[in-house]
Amino acid sequence: MKRDPGLYDYLPYSKRPKIEWPDGARVAFWVAPNIEFYELEPPKNPSRASWARPVPDVLNYAYRDYGNRAGFWRMAEAMERCGVRGSVSLNVAVCDHHPEVIEACVKRGWELYSHGTYNTRYTFNMSEEQERALIQDSIDTIRKHSGQKLDGWLAPALTYTDRTLDLVAEMGLTYVCDLFHDDQPGPVKVRQGRLVSIPYSLEMNDAISLSVNLVTPRHYGEIIKRQFDRLYAEGAESGTVMCIPLHPYLIGQPYRLKAFEDALGYITGHDKVWLATGREIAKHFADNYYDAFARASQPVHDL
Amino acid sequence: MISDDYLKYPKRRRGMDHERYDWSILPRRKPIKWPGGARLALWVTVSLQWFPLDMKGQPFKPLGALQTAYPDLRHYTLRDYGNRVGIFRVIKALERHGIRASAPTNAAVAVRYPSLLEELASLNWEIVAHGLDMDHLHYEGMADERSLVTRSLEKLPKVRGWLSPAKSESKQTLDLLAEAGIEYVCDWVNDDMPYEMRAGGGTLWAMPHSGDIDDAQIMIGNRHDEDDWRDQMIDQFELLYDESTVQGGRMMSLSLHPWVIGQPYRISDLDLASRLSFFLWSRGPDDALMNIAVQNRLHEPAVLEQQVRRMLKDPRAESLAVNFAGQWLNLRGLGSSGPLPMIYPDFDDPLRQAMRREVELLFDDIVRQDRNVVDLLTANYTFVNERLAKHYGIENIYGSQFRRVLLPPAMEDRWGLLGKGAFLVTTSKPERTSPVVRGKWIMGNILGMSPPDPPPNVPALPPRAADAAGNAHEPTMRQKMLDHRVRADCIQCHSMMDPIGFALEPFDGIALKRTLGDLVEP
């Protein structure tokens, strides 16, 4: 096992090339709904149990299912009212189970990127060949159901092997959301290809805020605004990225939606905010700043 | 390493990965109509639970389980408090609001406290089976589940519904329940409305019994305080209530546990004093109000007036503007009304929010300054931020903060509520103004004389027609309306509504002043 993932060098926030977003925007803002399918009786992976309770865990299964039946539709309308497109972190099996959900995303001009096949199939312990098959499945399924080229990756349930990001880059994807080390995009050191890490934020993630940190829904709206205010202020010096990762089964609950929509409207009510998708942010960075950031990075030596 | 079978997906297909129920999209279903035209069915459940002292917690400990080494007198008694004391506070609080509840009841409670069951029967509450006790969960691989179902149900004759302890089921729980004659279950939290499940060769209804906003989950599980819990209930209600306007009847589940909500400091959220404080503050009562309520003096007019005046001075009374005015002036409707972007490209969400905030601030100001209520219609000042100021054509206002501005005589038509975006937008159609809707709203909400709904079978407004020369002219709104209300049963009300509405036609569907050309007769 490695002591350092070896995926990036040190690049202090205070000593970086200046990022300029299109039209002088200070913040590249993107919203990433995680549209997921959790299996009722998934196969076992030796490194992680699928459910907190014995299978069938009907409470937790049904809670996730709420997202596709009810929560997604409410969330999507709230985003539409605020003029925000989604970049969907997609368990691609949803294309087969619930094609109506995918149609609703594509119709709104949302980007689809991959979050694995099911959120109950983990990458832990996969061989290189198996992991390639997993990535290829996503490439093929997303193209078949939306016509889109797959550009982004967020590992299913945040499970990895040591080669996950190498394979993702080799197979033609352009960005990953799995690194939480920064508020700006950055180059990822992979075996071959150019891979951009873009900020995805676990802190703004509704699953972390609401289900782990147990903040109240109204306070969740508050911290979104505070996060934005600070990144907007800092973005006057060099462009920042703000992401709100969502889960329809959480944010689409009636008692949570309004505070979130208020916060979203607060953000979109500002000028100099680039309402982007993951793919657009990664491309702008790769085209203009990738090399300069790589050059400015400082190699790290272990003890 | 893992087997290649790990990348095979035998149930990757359209719909669900099991056969219990069908895939169904909530907002695409046929709208439900509740009796009496109700928009929301409120379903209160009060769970009566018993956690035995020798609790094993198998295969997992449910929320509320005993925690210390045996004997955990502390948690045992704290839970049993609900059955001895808490439930009676809950009963009283619900009675004051005229609410009957369903009580999911452990069989152990029925056996141990039969007088409690008699009391609930006398109140006409429904009893729902809730398993044997909180240490007998249903789970896959358990021994003899069938006899556990039988033992639980024989103590609770004639129940129709079932809530599994901790919402835990085995693969066959639903089949066993259906075979035992149960008609609905409350375990699955995947929907906001009832839906049908397959079980035991027939069907069972899945009822949307809330999981993550019940009092125990919010206050014990998430450790939010009782004010936060109530805020979440209010937010839940408001969204479902709003949604019912476009999607048909909705259901709200209010799930209570007397061992949680029945504590003296929490029950106030369901009490008479809190009804008053909800109205003005949207918060629970403070000590002063609670003391007077306890002394039973709140019904004395002088005391009541004194309390209302005191509460109105509190900054928290702003929620009167947000909630009361939101309902009375239909500011909440501003959330669901949608001017069409094709017709009104200038209308966006920040503007919608600013319009709502403007009227909240105006209303709040008039209440706090104790101004004449007529000022609501005539006030020559308002509150705007940059976005709204630009919309109204007021210069030199910058930033997102709202501030008070005087409206000069040249802007007299913006004075008072009827010149405000909130009113003008909510009383318009997505694609055009509606003098009828505006007139009807003013009659109903300002003049206090609601006209009746239109008779059935009224034809739509006439479409454009070609004249003798073959030129098609869109008739003016006024001409269309004149053609429209020749019927005797229409004209009675329209002769009052329409002139009121026409007086406001200089404002378009997003409250912008129109150019004259829009209004000229052909």
Side-chain angles (χ1 to χ4, degrees):
Chain A
M1 284 190 276
K2 302 174 184 171
R3 278 159 50 82
D4 173 325
L7 294 168
Y8 53 87
D9 293 324
Y10 185 64
L11 182 55
Y13 197 33
S14 61
K15 293 193 172 62
R16 296 182 179 182
K18 180 181 178 180
I19 292 181
E20 292 183 12
W21 296 127
D23 299 322
R26 296 178 178 193
V27 178
F29 177 70
W30 69 299
V31 175
N34 285 262
I35 298 182
E36 299 173 329
F37 199 105
Y38 293 73
E39 298 158 285
L40 187 60
E41 297 181 54
K44 286 192 172 56
N45 186 303
S47 294
R48 177 167 165 175
S50 301
W51 293 110
R53 294 177 170 188
V55 170
D57 184 343
V58 301
L59 174 65
N60 287 300
Y61 175 88
Y63 198 31
R64 271 55 173 197
D65 185 30
Y66 181 90
N68 294 322
R69 289 170 80 88
F72 165 79
W73 307 92
R74 249 180 224 134
M75 176 199 73
E77 284 191 7
M79 288 170 61
E80 192 167 2
R81 283 194 290 270
C82 294
V84 173
R85 288 170 297 155
S87 305
V88 178
S89 168
L90 180 67
N91 287 158
V92 297
V94 175
C95 295
D96 302 298
H97 288 286
H98 304 320
E100 298 91 339
V101 172
I102 303 302
E103 280 161 25
C105 295
V106 171
K107 191 186 79 185
R108 290 178 164 90
W110 291 12
E111 176 187 341
L112 305 181
Y113 72 92
S114 177
H115 191 30
T117 306
Y118 285 100
N119 233 45
T120 36
R121 304 275 178 142
Y122 309 125
T123 316
F124 293 135
N125 307 303
M126 282 192 184
S127 67
E128 179 162 336
E129 197 183 344
Q130 287 171 333
E131 202 170 355
R132 280 184 191 279
L134 172 74
I135 299 166
Q136 192 62 47
D137 183 343
S138 287
I139 293 172
D140 296 342
T141 306
I142 285 182
R143 171 160 292 143
K144 180 179 158 198
H145 287 268
S146 70
Q148 295 183 25
K149 170 187 175 292
L150 175 61
D151 276 322
W153 189 262
L154 176 72
L158 306 190
T159 62
Y160 311 93
T161 68
D162 265 340
R163 42 182 123 66
T164 299
L165 301 193
D166 289 328
L167 297 180
V168 160
E170 271 176 46
M171 296 180 73
L173 279 66
T174 59
Y175 72 94
V176 284
C177 310
D178 288 297
L179 307 179
F180 306 103
H181 61 322
D182 221 302
D183 287 321
Q184 291 181 315
V188 185
K189 297 202 297 184
V190 286
R191 291 199 297 227
Q192 65 179 78
R194 273 157 84 92
L195 191 65
V196 175
S197 162
I198 65 172
Y200 170 79
S201 183
L202 285 186
E203 297 292 331
M204 288 295 105
N205 192 314
D206 59 351
I208 303 299
S209 265
L210 300 170
S211 297
V212 179
N213 298 341
L214 304 177
V215 306
T216 65
R218 292 186 185 186
H219 190 64
Y220 179 52
E222 267 310 302
I223 62 180
I224 288 173
K225 292 180 191 172
R226 291 179 196 174
Q227 178 96 347
F228 172 79
D229 285 343
R230 178 53 58 118
L231 290 170
Y232 190 72
E234 292 179 2
E237 292 178 28
S238 177
T240 53
V241 176
M242 176 163 170
C243 179
I244 306 180
L246 298 172
H247 295 74
Y249 75 90
L250 296 172
I251 203 65
Q253 296 282 347
Y255 69 105
R256 287 176 172 148
L257 192 74
K258 181 174 180 300
F260 167 72
E261 186 174 344
D262 285 351
L264 201 57
Y266 175 80
I267 291 171
T268 58
H270 285 69
D271 62 359
K272 299 193 175 176
V273 177
W274 181 27
L275 302 179
T277 67
R279 174 188 289 139
E280 291 163 358
I281 296 169
K283 181 169 189 333
H284 188 83
F285 180 82
D287 290 351
N288 298 287
Y289 304 107
Y290 184 101
D291 295 321
F293 266 55
R295 276 196 303 275
S297 296
Q298 305 164 8
V300 175
H301 305 285
D302 198 4
L303 281 172
Chain B
M1 287 301 125
I2 46 178
S3 142
D4 281 349
D5 287 345
Y6 196 73
L7 282 96
K8 290 184 180 146
Y9 315 106
K11 292 178 177 168
R12 185 170 170 180
R13 63 191 177 205
R14 183 161 157 74
M16 305 311 300
D17 61 335
H18 57 79
E19 307 292 342
R20 274 290 173 212
Y21 55 83
D22 293 330
W23 158 237
S24 163
I25 296 170
L26 175 68
R28 295 195 183 168
R29 293 179 208 156
K30 194 170 167 223
I32 296 284
K33 280 189 182 167
W34 295 124
R39 290 165 63 174
L40 193 89
L42 175 68
W43 182 40
V44 179
T45 54
V46 182
S47 294
L48 300 174
Q49 303 179 323
W50 185 67
F51 296 78
L53 189 63
D54 63 345
M55 192 159 184
K56 316 277 187 306
Q58 289 301 321
F60 61 88
K61 284 186 172 183
L63 188 61
L66 273 55
Q67 292 168 26
T68 75
Y70 179 86
D72 183 355
L73 264 188
R74 167 183 161 184
H75 290 102
Y76 176 91
T77 53
L78 198 51
R79 304 300 173 244
D80 210 23
Y81 175 94
N83 300 319
R84 295 172 63 86
V85 179
I87 178 62
F88 297 97
R89 287 204 183 97
V90 173
I91 288 171
K92 273 193 182 168
L94 293 178
E95 248 181 346
R96 279 194 200 100
H97 297 271
I99 294 170
R100 283 181 308 135
S102 300
T105 303
N106 288 158
V109 170
V111 173
R112 295 165 54 87
Y113 314 130
S115 68
L116 174 55
L117 274 282
E118 285 163 26
E119 170 129 5
L120 298 184
S122 74
L123 293 166
N124 217 5
W125 282 25
E126 177 192 5
I127 301 298
V128 175
H130 189 23
L132 197 69
D133 62 38
M134 295 311 290
D135 201 25
H136 280 84
L137 305 187
H138 296 248
Y139 59 97
E140 186 62 19
M142 68 181 296
D144 203 6
E145 187 177 8
R146 187 180 297 273
S147 78
L148 181 59
V149 169
T150 309
R151 282 169 69 204
S152 305
L153 289 176
E154 71 191 6
K155 308 299 182 199
L156 297 167
K158 291 190 283 186
V159 295
R160 301 170 68 178
W162 172 279
L163 170 65
S164 296
K167 293 183 184 285
S168 179
E169 293 180 359
S170 75
K171 289 183 193 176
Q172 54 278 330
T173 305
L174 295 175
D175 300 316
L176 295 173
L177 293 173
E179 286 162 18
I182 291 293
E183 295 167 27
Y184 70 88
V185 285
C186 313
D187 297 341
W188 293 66
V189 295
N190 55 348
D191 215 300
D192 290 315
M193 297 295 285
Y195 68 92
E196 281 186 298
M197 294 181 133
R198 295 182 193 90
T203 49
L204 265 182
W205 284 92
M207 286 283 276
H209 180 258
S210 80
D212 62 341
I213 53 162
D214 80 19
D215 56 347
Q217 183 59 46
I218 296 281
M219 289 186 266
I220 307 297
N222 297 356
R223 297 175 192 271
H224 298 170
D225 71 25
E226 49 285 345
D227 289 352
D228 287 329
W229 173 73
R230 195 193 38 248
D231 286 348
Q232 290 172 58
M233 291 300 129
I234 291 170
D235 290 349
Q236 177 89 355
F237 167 77
E238 290 194 345
L239 190 131
L240 290 170
Y241 195 72
D242 285 350
E243 200 167 86
S244 69
T245 58
V246 285
Q247 294 185 17
R250 279 280 184 263
M251 224 185 115
M252 174 162 166
S253 155
L254 180 62
S255 166
L256 304 172
H257 296 74
W259 55 269
V260 181
I261 194 69
Q263 290 290 340
Y265 71 98
R266 291 190 179 122
I267 195 67
S268 61
D269 288 331
L270 289 168
D271 217 334
L272 170 68
S274 57
R275 182 178 272 190
L276 175 61
S277 58
F278 283 158
F279 180 66
L280 299 175
W281 285 354
S282 292
R283 306 295 284 184
D286 61 3
D287 288 348
L289 182 63
M290 202 62 202
N291 287 337
I292 290 168
V294 168
Q295 294 161 23
N296 199 20
R297 290 174 52 217
L298 207 48
H299 61 274
E300 297 170 20
V303 174
L304 187 64
E305 179 171 344
Q306 183 198 7
Q307 287 302 313
V308 169
R309 287 193 179 280
R310 181 180 68 81
M311 290 169 71
L312 280 174
K313 285 198 183 120
D314 191 288
R316 285 175 284 181
E318 194 204 319
S319 53
L320 174 63
V322 174
N323 290 331
F324 173 72
Q327 205 165 350
W328 181 56
L329 301 173
N330 193 29
L331 295 184
R332 285 174 189 157
L334 203 53
S336 54
S337 73
L340 287 177
M342 256 173 17
I343 296 175
Y344 302 112
D346 292 341
F347 194 82
D348 57 13
D349 205 59
L351 181 59
R352 185 199 312 269
Q353 292 183 22
M355 285 176 169
R356 176 173 172 156
R357 190 70 191 140
E358 176 193 26
V359 176
E360 286 170 0
L361 289 169
L362 181 66
F363 183 89
D364 188 53
D365 189 70
I366 287 172
V367 171
R368 273 176 207 277
Q369 307 293 330
D370 202 13
R371 290 175 183 276
N372 191 323
V373 68
V374 176
D375 283 5
L376 260 182
L377 296 174
T378 58
N380 66 344
Y381 64 93
T382 191
F383 298 84
V384 293
N385 64 0
E386 180 176 346
R387 181 75 184 85
L388 189 58
K390 275 193 181 138
H391 193 68
Y392 287 170
I394 301 171
E395 293 175 342
N396 299 321
I397 304 288
Y398 300 102
S400 57
Q401 290 299 310
F402 281 79
R403 71 219 68 181
R404 189 178 192 274
V405 292
L406 276 176
L407 299 169
M411 296 186 73
E412 188 181 354
D413 46 9
R414 289 268 179 221
W415 291 2
L417 188 66
L418 303 185
K420 299 293 179 279
F423 162 74
L424 293 164
V425 172
T426 51
T427 53
S428 292
K429 309 259 184 193
E431 73 286 2
R432 61 169 172 85
T433 55
S434 170
V436 178
V437 175
R438 286 179 179 170
K440 183 177 179 191
W441 191 94
I442 291 171
M443 282 179 71
N445 291 278
I446 306 283
L447 304 177
M449 41 197 294
S450 282
D453 286 331
N457 308 323
V458 176
L461 289 178
R464 57 167 57 195
D467 61 18
N471 296 316
H473 288 290
E474 186 71 19
T476 60
M477 178 62 70
R478 190 181 294 270
Q479 188 56 48
K480 284 188 195 177
M481 298 290 304
L482 283 173
D483 295 345
H484 182 60
R485 58 187 174 94
V486 290
R487 279 174 57 168
D489 50 349
C490 296
I491 203 163
Q492 281 183 330
C493 295
H494 279 276
S495 64
M496 286 196 69
M497 283 189 294
D498 299 358
I500 297 174
F502 279 124
L504 293 161
E505 274 293 277
F507 290 108
D508 73 4
I510 57 169
L512 282 175
K513 289 300 291 289
R514 294 188 218 246
T515 53
L516 203 56
D518 298 339
L519 299 168
V520 176
E521 307 278 339

